[in-house]
């Protein structure tokens, strides 16, 4: 028999909460935001979404440009996730502060992050206001992976902000 726990505690037990660095650009202003609200909405077409609170500087940039890039993170990017999740692009240049390098994509003007192992270029097709975030649903336009990247090296996919820990993708356990 299961015991009832607070909804927030229940959510923390689920294997959700991926972490990404989402890069964006409008009129030459580049920015990066750490994002836990990410979802795959459709296979064909490939639609993904990121939930961004309207108070974020990135919200304006994504809204105005209609583009963003989802960049996966690994253990080398923990500090960058902290910086991009605490500082606002209104006040600082997060590429400089987090020592990240913008790289030109092929389909959108928003930059890829060179240090990220996997980057997906997206164009916004819909905005959905839900609760305290706006979901920018984007159609994936192009995907990039670092040469020789082996995803079993581990990507960060769980963030338990409340106890202050990041977790990475676990071990291979069974064949599909
Ligand atoms: C691990 C982590 C995940 C986060 N996830 C989100 C998210 O999904 N959506 C969001 O709006 N803010 C999220 N935040 C908070 C923003 O990253 C943070 O407010 C950031 O400073 C906003 O930057 P900006 O003003 O330059 O856009 C997260 C922060 C951290 C550390």
């Amino acid at each position: 028999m299961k015991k009832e726990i607070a909804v927030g505690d229940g959510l923390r037990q689920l294997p959700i909460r991926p972490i990404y660095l989402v890069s964006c650009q409008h009129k030459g202003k580049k920015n990066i935001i750490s994002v836990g609200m990410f979802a795959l909405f459709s296979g064909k077409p490939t639609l993904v979404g990121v939930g961004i609170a309207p108070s974020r500087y990135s919200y304006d940039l994504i809204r105005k440009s209609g583009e963003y890039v989802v960049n996966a993170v690994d253990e080398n990017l923990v500090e960058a996730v902290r910086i991009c999740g605490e500082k606002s692009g209104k006040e600082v240049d997060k590429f400089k502060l987090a020592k990240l390098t913008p790289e030109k994509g092929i389909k959108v003007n928003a930059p890829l992050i060179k240090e990220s192992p996997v980057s997906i270029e997206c164009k916004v097709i819909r905005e959905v206001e839900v609760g305290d975030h706006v979901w920018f649903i984007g159609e994936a336009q192009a995907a990039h992976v670092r040469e020789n990247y082996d995803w079993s090296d581990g990507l960060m996919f769980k963030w338990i902000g409340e106890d202050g820990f990041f977790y990475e993708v676990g071990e291979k356990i069974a064949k599909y």
Side-chain angles (χ1 to χ4, degrees):
M1 180 137 143
K2 285 180 219 145
K3 63 170 182 173
E4 189 189 354
I5 53 173
V7 171
D9 292 339
L11 284 174
R12 279 192 281 284
Q13 312 299 322
L14 294 176
I16 55 167
R17 300 198 174 202
I19 313 163
Y20 294 100
L21 288 173
V22 171
S23 41
C24 46
Q25 170 170 319
H26 180 64
K27 291 197 171 161
K29 287 183 182 154
K30 297 181 183 50
N31 195 39
I32 314 169
I33 177 172
S34 298
V35 159
M37 293 205 185
F38 170 88
L40 178 62
F41 283 93
S42 159
K44 275 186 194 164
T46 308
L47 301 178
V48 298
V50 288
I52 309 285
S55 57
R56 317 291 188 226
Y57 178 59
S58 307
Y59 172 84
D60 285 334
L61 299 190
I62 296 174
R63 195 133 200 261
K64 288 176 181 156
S65 65
E67 300 175 346
Y68 59 87
V69 178
V70 177
N71 303 274
V73 292
D74 58 18
E75 61 179 346
N76 301 317
L77 292 169
V78 170
E79 194 47 34
V81 168
R82 273 201 203 103
I83 292 170
C84 296
E86 281 171 13
K87 304 278 180 199
S88 178
K90 275 181 212 154
E91 280 110 38
V92 292
D93 177 342
K94 288 195 250 182
F95 273 98
K96 277 203 181 123
L97 199 63
K99 300 191 174 68
L100 297 175
T101 319
E103 244 182 10
K104 231 176 131 34
I106 54 175
K107 297 283 186 181
V108 303
N109 291 314
L112 319 182
I113 297 174
K114 187 177 176 203
E115 291 76 8
S116 157
V118 186
S119 303
I120 313 281
E121 297 182 48
C122 300
K123 276 196 181 156
V124 177
I125 60 145
R126 199 175 297 175
E127 284 177 38
V128 188
E129 199 182 319
V130 201
D132 53 7
H133 285 66
V134 170
W135 280 83
F136 289 104
I137 300 179
E139 181 161 1
Q141 307 288 317
H144 308 263
V145 67
R146 193 164 58 205
E147 226 176 310
N148 301 326
Y149 178 68
D150 175 357
W151 83 278
S152 63
D153 287 348
L155 291 178
M156 277 168 19
F157 94 122
K158 194 164 180 187
W159 168 53
I160 307 282
E162 294 74 5
D163 71 3
F165 285 98
F166 292 106
Y167 293 79
E168 69 176 27
V169 172
E171 294 182 12
K172 205 187 279 179
I173 52 163
K175 185 154 168 43
Y176 173 66

PDB file of all heavy atoms in Angstrom, residues 15-47:
ATOM      1  N   PRO A  15      10.749  10.404 -12.500  1.00  0.00           N
ATOM      2  CA  PRO A  15      11.989  10.525 -13.272  1.00  0.00           C
ATOM      3  C   PRO A  15      11.862  11.580 -14.367  1.00  0.00           C
ATOM      4  O   PRO A  15      12.113  11.316 -15.530  1.00  0.00           O
ATOM      5  CB  PRO A  15      12.160   9.123 -13.857  1.00  0.00           C
ATOM      6  CG  PRO A  15      10.770   8.630 -14.005  1.00  0.00           C
ATOM      7  CD  PRO A  15       9.974   9.224 -12.885  1.00  0.00           C
ATOM      8  N   ILE A  16      11.393  12.760 -13.994  1.00  0.00           N
ATOM      9  CA  ILE A  16      11.247  13.820 -15.003  1.00  0.00           C
ATOM     10  C   ILE A  16      12.285  14.896 -14.730  1.00  0.00           C
ATOM     11  O   ILE A  16      13.254  14.647 -14.051  1.00  0.00           O
ATOM     12  CB  ILE A  16       9.826  14.415 -14.998  1.00  0.00           C
ATOM     13  CG1 ILE A  16       9.482  14.897 -13.594  1.00  0.00           C
ATOM     14  CG2 ILE A  16       8.830  13.416 -15.534  1.00  0.00           C
ATOM     15  CD1 ILE A  16       8.241  15.765 -13.539  1.00  0.00           C
ATOM     16  N   ARG A  17      12.038  16.062 -15.256  1.00  0.00           N
ATOM     17  CA  ARG A  17      12.905  17.215 -15.056  1.00  0.00           C
ATOM     18  C   ARG A  17      14.210  17.133 -15.823  1.00  0.00           C
ATOM     19  O   ARG A  17      15.282  17.006 -15.229  1.00  0.00           O
ATOM     20  CB  ARG A  17      13.205  17.424 -13.574  1.00  0.00           C
ATOM     21  CG  ARG A  17      11.963  17.658 -12.759  1.00  0.00           C
ATOM     22  CD  ARG A  17      12.372  18.273 -11.475  1.00  0.00           C
ATOM     23  NE  ARG A  17      11.193  18.635 -10.734  1.00  0.00           N
ATOM     24  CZ  ARG A  17      11.190  19.545  -9.788  1.00  0.00           C
ATOM     25  NH1 ARG A  17      12.282  20.173  -9.476  1.00  0.00           N
ATOM     26  NH2 ARG A  17      10.096  19.834  -9.147  1.00  0.00           N
ATOM     27  N   PRO A  18      14.130  17.190 -17.114  1.00  0.00           N
ATOM     28  CA  PRO A  18      15.368  17.302 -17.879  1.00  0.00           C
ATOM     29  C   PRO A  18      15.937  18.708 -17.663  1.00  0.00           C
ATOM     30  O   PRO A  18      15.227  19.588 -17.176  1.00  0.00           O
ATOM     31  CB  PRO A  18      14.892  17.147 -19.319  1.00  0.00           C
ATOM     32  CG  PRO A  18      13.484  17.627 -19.306  1.00  0.00           C
ATOM     33  CD  PRO A  18      12.936  17.309 -17.946  1.00  0.00           C
ATOM     34  N   ILE A  19      17.158  18.912 -17.991  1.00  0.00           N
ATOM     35  CA  ILE A  19      17.738  20.257 -17.919  1.00  0.00           C
ATOM     36  C   ILE A  19      18.371  20.567 -19.262  1.00  0.00           C
ATOM     37  O   ILE A  19      19.096  19.724 -19.820  1.00  0.00           O
ATOM     38  CB  ILE A  19      18.843  20.377 -16.862  1.00  0.00           C
ATOM     39  CG1 ILE A  19      18.405  19.755 -15.552  1.00  0.00           C
ATOM     40  CG2 ILE A  19      19.230  21.829 -16.643  1.00  0.00           C
ATOM     41  CD1 ILE A  19      19.576  19.489 -14.654  1.00  0.00           C
ATOM     42  N   TYR A  20      18.102  21.739 -19.752  1.00  0.00           N
ATOM     43  CA  TYR A  20      18.707  22.178 -21.015  1.00  0.00           C
ATOM     44  C   TYR A  20      19.160  23.614 -20.869  1.00  0.00           C
ATOM     45  O   TYR A  20      18.670  24.346 -20.012  1.00  0.00           O
ATOM     46  CB  TYR A  20      17.680  22.103 -22.158  1.00  0.00           C
ATOM     47  CG  TYR A  20      17.261  20.685 -22.471  1.00  0.00           C
ATOM     48  CD1 TYR A  20      16.065  20.174 -21.980  1.00  0.00           C
ATOM     49  CD2 TYR A  20      18.078  19.859 -23.229  1.00  0.00           C
ATOM     50  CE1 TYR A  20      15.681  18.868 -22.243  1.00  0.00           C
ATOM     51  CE2 TYR A  20      17.710  18.552 -23.496  1.00  0.00           C
ATOM     52  CZ  TYR A  20      16.517  18.061 -23.004  1.00  0.00           C
ATOM     53  OH  TYR A  20      16.159  16.759 -23.260  1.00  0.00           O
ATOM     54  N   LEU A  21      20.082  23.994 -21.749  1.00  0.00           N
ATOM     55  CA  LEU A  21      20.396  25.406 -21.910  1.00  0.00           C
ATOM     56  C   LEU A  21      19.718  25.823 -23.204  1.00  0.00           C
ATOM     57  O   LEU A  21      19.969  25.222 -24.257  1.00  0.00           O
ATOM     58  CB  LEU A  21      21.917  25.612 -22.012  1.00  0.00           C
ATOM     59  CG  LEU A  21      22.706  25.416 -20.715  1.00  0.00           C
ATOM     60  CD1 LEU A  21      24.207  25.467 -20.981  1.00  0.00           C
ATOM     61  CD2 LEU A  21      22.331  26.485 -19.676  1.00  0.00           C
ATOM     62  N   VAL A  22      18.824  26.780 -23.109  1.00  0.00           N
ATOM     63  CA  VAL A  22      18.121  27.236 -24.304  1.00  0.00           C
ATOM     64  C   VAL A  22      18.727  28.574 -24.720  1.00  0.00           C
ATOM     65  O   VAL A  22      18.770  29.522 -23.929  1.00  0.00           O
ATOM     66  CB  VAL A  22      16.602  27.358 -24.023  1.00  0.00           C
ATOM     67  CG1 VAL A  22      15.886  28.047 -25.176  1.00  0.00           C
ATOM     68  CG2 VAL A  22      16.008  25.970 -23.781  1.00  0.00           C
ATOM     69  N   SER A  23      19.221  28.613 -25.956  1.00  0.00           N
ATOM     70  CA  SER A  23      19.843  29.850 -26.439  1.00  0.00           C
ATOM     71  C   SER A  23      18.887  30.559 -27.390  1.00  0.00           C
ATOM     72  O   SER A  23      18.080  29.916 -28.076  1.00  0.00           O
ATOM     73  CB  SER A  23      21.181  29.549 -27.114  1.00  0.00           C
ATOM     74  OG  SER A  23      21.100  28.394 -27.918  1.00  0.00           O
ATOM     75  N   CYS A  24      18.988  31.881 -27.392  1.00  0.00           N
ATOM     76  CA  CYS A  24      18.083  32.664 -28.231  1.00  0.00           C
ATOM     77  C   CYS A  24      18.769  33.962 -28.641  1.00  0.00           C
ATOM     78  O   CYS A  24      19.817  34.333 -28.096  1.00  0.00           O
ATOM     79  CB  CYS A  24      16.771  32.950 -27.475  1.00  0.00           C
ATOM     80  SG  CYS A  24      16.994  33.512 -25.779  1.00  0.00           S
ATOM     81  N   GLN A  25      18.158  34.632 -29.591  1.00  0.00           N
ATOM     82  CA  GLN A  25      18.746  35.882 -30.092  1.00  0.00           C
ATOM     83  C   GLN A  25      17.674  36.719 -30.757  1.00  0.00           C
ATOM     84  O   GLN A  25      16.832  36.193 -31.481  1.00  0.00           O
ATOM     85  CB  GLN A  25      19.841  35.553 -31.114  1.00  0.00           C
ATOM     86  CG  GLN A  25      20.344  36.770 -31.868  1.00  0.00           C
ATOM     87  CD  GLN A  25      21.581  36.474 -32.699  1.00  0.00           C
ATOM     88  OE1 GLN A  25      22.471  35.758 -32.262  1.00  0.00           O
ATOM     89  NE2 GLN A  25      21.650  37.023 -33.884  1.00  0.00           N
ATOM     90  N   HIS A  26      17.721  38.019 -30.476  1.00  0.00           N
ATOM     91  CA  HIS A  26      16.846  38.936 -31.214  1.00  0.00           C
ATOM     92  C   HIS A  26      17.598  40.234 -31.436  1.00  0.00           C
ATOM     93  O   HIS A  26      18.172  40.798 -30.502  1.00  0.00           O
ATOM     94  CB  HIS A  26      15.555  39.195 -30.434  1.00  0.00           C
ATOM     95  CG  HIS A  26      14.635  40.135 -31.149  1.00  0.00           C
ATOM     96  ND1 HIS A  26      14.062  39.839 -32.372  1.00  0.00           N
ATOM     97  CD2 HIS A  26      14.208  41.376 -30.833  1.00  0.00           C
ATOM     98  CE1 HIS A  26      13.316  40.848 -32.766  1.00  0.00           C
ATOM     99  NE2 HIS A  26      13.390  41.796 -31.845  1.00  0.00           N
ATOM    100  N   LYS A  27      17.578  40.696 -32.687  1.00  0.00           N
ATOM    101  CA  LYS A  27      18.274  41.940 -33.053  1.00  0.00           C
ATOM    102  C   LYS A  27      19.690  41.978 -32.482  1.00  0.00           C
ATOM    103  O   LYS A  27      20.096  42.944 -31.809  1.00  0.00           O
ATOM    104  CB  LYS A  27      17.479  43.155 -32.596  1.00  0.00           C
ATOM    105  CG  LYS A  27      16.182  43.320 -33.384  1.00  0.00           C
ATOM    106  CD  LYS A  27      15.609  44.701 -33.245  1.00  0.00           C
ATOM    107  CE  LYS A  27      14.452  44.898 -34.202  1.00  0.00           C
ATOM    108  NZ  LYS A  27      13.591  46.004 -33.848  1.00  0.00           N
ATOM    109  N   GLY A  28      20.426  40.906 -32.656  1.00  0.00           N
ATOM    110  CA  GLY A  28      21.833  40.871 -32.248  1.00  0.00           C
ATOM    111  C   GLY A  28      22.058  40.596 -30.768  1.00  0.00           C
ATOM    112  O   GLY A  28      23.186  40.400 -30.330  1.00  0.00           O
ATOM    113  N   LYS A  29      20.980  40.601 -29.964  1.00  0.00           N
ATOM    114  CA  LYS A  29      21.149  40.330 -28.523  1.00  0.00           C
ATOM    115  C   LYS A  29      20.991  38.838 -28.282  1.00  0.00           C
ATOM    116  O   LYS A  29      19.926  38.268 -28.530  1.00  0.00           O
ATOM    117  CB  LYS A  29      20.111  41.089 -27.708  1.00  0.00           C
ATOM    118  CG  LYS A  29      20.407  42.554 -27.657  1.00  0.00           C
ATOM    119  CD  LYS A  29      19.402  43.260 -26.792  1.00  0.00           C
ATOM    120  CE  LYS A  29      19.689  44.760 -26.791  1.00  0.00           C
ATOM    121  NZ  LYS A  29      18.491  45.537 -26.526  1.00  0.00           N
ATOM    122  N   LYS A  30      22.090  38.235 -27.800  1.00  0.00           N
ATOM    123  CA  LYS A  30      22.084  36.784 -27.561  1.00  0.00           C
ATOM    124  C   LYS A  30      21.862  36.515 -26.083  1.00  0.00           C
ATOM    125  O   LYS A  30      22.337  37.285 -25.243  1.00  0.00           O
ATOM    126  CB  LYS A  30      23.459  36.182 -27.896  1.00  0.00           C
ATOM    127  CG  LYS A  30      23.885  36.292 -29.331  1.00  0.00           C
ATOM    128  CD  LYS A  30      25.257  35.611 -29.459  1.00  0.00           C
ATOM    129  CE  LYS A  30      25.840  35.701 -30.846  1.00  0.00           C
ATOM    130  NZ  LYS A  30      25.871  37.004 -31.466  1.00  0.00           N
ATOM    131  N   ASN A  31      21.219  35.415 -25.783  1.00  0.00           N
ATOM    132  CA  ASN A  31      21.058  35.063 -24.370  1.00  0.00           C
ATOM    133  C   ASN A  31      20.924  33.548 -24.214  1.00  0.00           C
ATOM    134  O   ASN A  31      20.698  32.824 -25.200  1.00  0.00           O
ATOM    135  CB  ASN A  31      19.821  35.757 -23.793  1.00  0.00           C
ATOM    136  CG  ASN A  31      19.795  35.730 -22.290  1.00  0.00           C
ATOM    137  OD1 ASN A  31      20.834  35.879 -21.638  1.00  0.00           O
ATOM    138  ND2 ASN A  31      18.635  35.493 -21.703  1.00  0.00           N
ATOM    139  N   ILE A  32      21.086  33.096 -22.973  1.00  0.00           N
ATOM    140  CA  ILE A  32      20.914  31.675 -22.643  1.00  0.00           C
ATOM    141  C   ILE A  32      20.116  31.590 -21.350  1.00  0.00           C
ATOM    142  O   ILE A  32      20.375  32.343 -20.406  1.00  0.00           O
ATOM    143  CB  ILE A  32      22.266  30.969 -22.368  1.00  0.00           C
ATOM    144  CG1 ILE A  32      23.295  31.331 -23.433  1.00  0.00           C
ATOM    145  CG2 ILE A  32      22.073  29.462 -22.275  1.00  0.00           C
ATOM    146  CD1 ILE A  32      24.709  30.872 -23.071  1.00  0.00           C
ATOM    147  N   ILE A  33      19.176  30.658 -21.296  1.00  0.00           N
ATOM    148  CA  ILE A  33      18.410  30.410 -20.067  1.00  0.00           C
ATOM    149  C   ILE A  33      18.446  28.918 -19.745  1.00  0.00           C
ATOM    150  O   ILE A  33      18.324  28.076 -20.641  1.00  0.00           O
ATOM    151  CB  ILE A  33      16.942  30.917 -20.221  1.00  0.00           C
ATOM    152  CG1 ILE A  33      16.116  30.587 -18.966  1.00  0.00           C
ATOM    153  CG2 ILE A  33      16.256  30.376 -21.469  1.00  0.00           C
ATOM    154  CD1 ILE A  33      14.715  31.218 -18.944  1.00  0.00           C
ATOM    155  N   SER A  34      18.613  28.587 -18.466  1.00  0.00           N
ATOM    156  CA  SER A  34      18.513  27.189 -18.017  1.00  0.00           C
ATOM    157  C   SER A  34      17.035  26.835 -17.948  1.00  0.00           C
ATOM    158  O   SER A  34      16.235  27.600 -17.409  1.00  0.00           O
ATOM    159  CB  SER A  34      19.119  27.023 -16.619  1.00  0.00           C
ATOM    160  OG  SER A  34      20.470  27.352 -16.672  1.00  0.00           O
ATOM    161  N   VAL A  35      16.691  25.682 -18.473  1.00  0.00           N
ATOM    162  CA  VAL A  35      15.296  25.292 -18.569  1.00  0.00           C
ATOM    163  C   VAL A  35      15.083  23.853 -18.096  1.00  0.00           C
ATOM    164  O   VAL A  35      15.805  22.941 -18.503  1.00  0.00           O
ATOM    165  CB  VAL A  35      14.824  25.467 -20.037  1.00  0.00           C
ATOM    166  CG1 VAL A  35      13.596  24.646 -20.333  1.00  0.00           C
ATOM    167  CG2 VAL A  35      14.554  26.937 -20.330  1.00  0.00           C
ATOM    168  N   GLY A  36      14.104  23.689 -17.215  1.00  0.00           N
ATOM    169  CA  GLY A  36      13.708  22.351 -16.798  1.00  0.00           C
ATOM    170  C   GLY A  36      12.402  21.949 -17.474  1.00  0.00           C
ATOM    171  O   GLY A  36      12.100  20.772 -17.617  1.00  0.00           O
ATOM    172  N   MET A  37      11.645  22.964 -17.886  1.00  0.00           N
ATOM    173  CA  MET A  37      10.355  22.671 -18.524  1.00  0.00           C
ATOM    174  C   MET A  37      10.576  22.449 -20.006  1.00  0.00           C
ATOM    175  O   MET A  37      10.671  23.408 -20.790  1.00  0.00           O
ATOM    176  CB  MET A  37       9.401  23.832 -18.297  1.00  0.00           C
ATOM    177  CG  MET A  37       9.042  23.967 -16.851  1.00  0.00           C
ATOM    178  SD  MET A  37       7.465  24.778 -16.689  1.00  0.00           S
ATOM    179  CE  MET A  37       7.388  24.911 -14.914  1.00  0.00           C
ATOM    180  N   PHE A  38      10.679  21.186 -20.360  1.00  0.00           N
ATOM    181  CA  PHE A  38      10.902  20.791 -21.749  1.00  0.00           C
ATOM    182  C   PHE A  38       9.997  19.603 -22.032  1.00  0.00           C
ATOM    183  O   PHE A  38       9.831  18.743 -21.180  1.00  0.00           O
ATOM    184  CB  PHE A  38      12.364  20.384 -21.965  1.00  0.00           C
ATOM    185  CG  PHE A  38      12.600  19.741 -23.311  1.00  0.00           C
ATOM    186  CD1 PHE A  38      12.893  20.522 -24.418  1.00  0.00           C
ATOM    187  CD2 PHE A  38      12.488  18.362 -23.464  1.00  0.00           C
ATOM    188  CE1 PHE A  38      13.079  19.939 -25.667  1.00  0.00           C
ATOM    189  CE2 PHE A  38      12.676  17.767 -24.713  1.00  0.00           C
ATOM    190  CZ  PHE A  38      12.973  18.558 -25.819  1.00  0.00           C
ATOM    191  N   ALA A  39       9.423  19.547 -23.225  1.00  0.00           N
ATOM    192  CA  ALA A  39       8.588  18.384 -23.585  1.00  0.00           C
ATOM    193  C   ALA A  39       8.632  18.127 -25.078  1.00  0.00           C
ATOM    194  O   ALA A  39       8.824  19.052 -25.869  1.00  0.00           O
ATOM    195  CB  ALA A  39       7.146  18.633 -23.154  1.00  0.00           C
ATOM    196  N   LEU A  40       8.482  16.838 -25.434  1.00  0.00           N
ATOM    197  CA  LEU A  40       8.334  16.449 -26.833  1.00  0.00           C
ATOM    198  C   LEU A  40       6.835  16.362 -27.091  1.00  0.00           C
ATOM    199  O   LEU A  40       6.122  15.621 -26.409  1.00  0.00           O
ATOM    200  CB  LEU A  40       9.004  15.081 -27.041  1.00  0.00           C
ATOM    201  CG  LEU A  40       8.916  14.486 -28.432  1.00  0.00           C
ATOM    202  CD1 LEU A  40       9.617  15.379 -29.455  1.00  0.00           C
ATOM    203  CD2 LEU A  40       9.555  13.104 -28.451  1.00  0.00           C
ATOM    204  N   PHE A  41       6.345  17.145 -28.056  1.00  0.00           N
ATOM    205  CA  PHE A  41       4.904  17.197 -28.304  1.00  0.00           C
ATOM    206  C   PHE A  41       4.451  16.362 -29.486  1.00  0.00           C
ATOM    207  O   PHE A  41       3.296  15.977 -29.568  1.00  0.00           O
ATOM    208  CB  PHE A  41       4.457  18.649 -28.513  1.00  0.00           C
ATOM    209  CG  PHE A  41       4.358  19.428 -27.239  1.00  0.00           C
ATOM    210  CD1 PHE A  41       5.411  20.182 -26.764  1.00  0.00           C
ATOM    211  CD2 PHE A  41       3.184  19.391 -26.494  1.00  0.00           C
ATOM    212  CE1 PHE A  41       5.312  20.887 -25.577  1.00  0.00           C
ATOM    213  CE2 PHE A  41       3.073  20.090 -25.308  1.00  0.00           C
ATOM    214  CZ  PHE A  41       4.146  20.837 -24.845  1.00  0.00           C
ATOM    215  N   SER A  42       5.322  16.141 -30.463  1.00  0.00           N
ATOM    216  CA  SER A  42       4.904  15.398 -31.662  1.00  0.00           C
ATOM    217  C   SER A  42       6.134  14.814 -32.335  1.00  0.00           C
ATOM    218  O   SER A  42       7.224  15.411 -32.288  1.00  0.00           O
ATOM    219  CB  SER A  42       4.181  16.371 -32.608  1.00  0.00           C
ATOM    220  OG  SER A  42       4.159  15.894 -33.932  1.00  0.00           O
ATOM    221  N   GLY A  43       5.934  13.620 -32.955  1.00  0.00           N
ATOM    222  CA  GLY A  43       7.042  12.973 -33.664  1.00  0.00           C
ATOM    223  C   GLY A  43       7.188  13.505 -35.081  1.00  0.00           C
ATOM    224  O   GLY A  43       8.265  13.911 -35.507  1.00  0.00           O
ATOM    225  N   LYS A  44       6.059  13.481 -35.847  1.00  0.00           N
ATOM    226  CA  LYS A  44       6.059  13.977 -37.232  1.00  0.00           C
ATOM    227  C   LYS A  44       4.917  14.945 -37.412  1.00  0.00           C
ATOM    228  O   LYS A  44       3.769  14.496 -37.414  1.00  0.00           O
ATOM    229  CB  LYS A  44       5.874  12.805 -38.194  1.00  0.00           C
ATOM    230  CG  LYS A  44       7.166  12.114 -38.540  1.00  0.00           C
ATOM    231  CD  LYS A  44       6.929  11.069 -39.594  1.00  0.00           C
ATOM    232  CE  LYS A  44       8.154  10.152 -39.676  1.00  0.00           C
ATOM    233  NZ  LYS A  44       7.869   8.924 -40.384  1.00  0.00           N
ATOM    234  N   PRO A  45       5.116  16.209 -37.503  1.00  0.00           N
ATOM    235  CA  PRO A  45       6.400  16.890 -37.444  1.00  0.00           C
ATOM    236  C   PRO A  45       6.992  16.825 -36.031  1.00  0.00           C
ATOM    237  O   PRO A  45       6.250  16.623 -35.073  1.00  0.00           O
ATOM    238  CB  PRO A  45       6.042  18.341 -37.807  1.00  0.00           C
ATOM    239  CG  PRO A  45       4.626  18.495 -37.344  1.00  0.00           C
ATOM    240  CD  PRO A  45       3.981  17.163 -37.602  1.00  0.00           C
ATOM    241  N   THR A  46       8.279  17.020 -35.942  1.00  0.00           N
ATOM    242  CA  THR A  46       8.926  16.987 -34.629  1.00  0.00           C
ATOM    243  C   THR A  46       8.699  18.308 -33.917  1.00  0.00           C
ATOM    244  O   THR A  46       9.241  19.346 -34.303  1.00  0.00           O
ATOM    245  CB  THR A  46      10.436  16.717 -34.773  1.00  0.00           C
ATOM    246  OG1 THR A  46      10.581  15.558 -35.564  1.00  0.00           O
ATOM    247  CG2 THR A  46      11.084  16.501 -33.418  1.00  0.00           C
ATOM    248  N   LEU A  47       7.860  18.227 -32.900  1.00  0.00           N
ATOM    249  CA  LEU A  47       7.541  19.440 -32.145  1.00  0.00           C
ATOM    250  C   LEU A  47       8.003  19.283 -30.709  1.00  0.00           C
ATOM    251  O   LEU A  47       7.671  18.291 -30.051  1.00  0.00           O
ATOM    252  CB  LEU A  47       6.026  19.695 -32.160  1.00  0.00           C
ATOM    253  CG  LEU A  47       5.370  19.859 -33.536  1.00  0.00           C
ATOM    254  CD1 LEU A  47       3.866  20.066 -33.390  1.00  0.00           C
ATOM    255  CD2 LEU A  47       5.981  21.039 -34.282  1.00  0.00           C
TER     256      LEU A  47
END
